[in-house]
Amino acid sequence: MAHEQHRELLQILHECMTACNHCYDACLQEENMQMMANCIRLDRECADICAYLEQAITRGTPFISELAAVCATICEACGNECKKHPHDHCKQCAQACFKCAEACRNIA
């Protein structure tokens, strides 16, 4: 089954989704939320695509490589935005995003 074959990727996707959701929520609490707008938007995009790919893999989608390529692109963009900010939640999110992007590229 596809979900057994991609067990490590499923874990990485879930960790990235969780980190992005945490970053999203924490960014909403920052004083200068306007400065965080792009980070917040990309956190949502990244969390959503990671969750979708995780679900699609468990359903046995035939589009794993195509979806993984899109996920890698979005994760990379989110990681690049998050690494611009000094907050711990952004730094942790960037690390999770870059790890996920690499894992997705490996199967894309």
Side-chain angles (χ1 to χ4, degrees), residues 16 20 42-51 74-75 78 97:
C16 188
C20 288
L42 285 167
D43 283 338
R44 285 294 345 127
E45 294 283 338
C46 193
D48 288 349
I49 190 66
C50 287
I74 295 171
C75 286
C78 189
C97 287

Side-chain angles (χ1 to χ4, degrees), residues 40-97:
I40 292 167
R41 183 183 62 76
L42 285 167
D43 283 338
R44 285 294 345 127
E45 294 283 338
C46 193
D48 288 349
I49 190 66
C50 287
Y52 181 78
L53 180 54
E54 184 179 1
Q55 292 174 38
I57 289 170
T58 62
R59 288 191 302 264
T61 182
F63 304 108
I64 289 176
S65 61
E66 293 88 349
L67 291 170
V70 171
C71 190
T73 299
I74 295 171
C75 286
E76 190 81 26
C78 189
N80 284 330
E81 178 61 30
C82 284
K83 76 177 185 179
K84 294 177 185 177
H85 303 286
H87 312 101
D88 285 340
H89 57 85
C90 288
K91 292 181 187 311
Q92 292 168 2
C93 187
Q95 289 176 347
C97 287

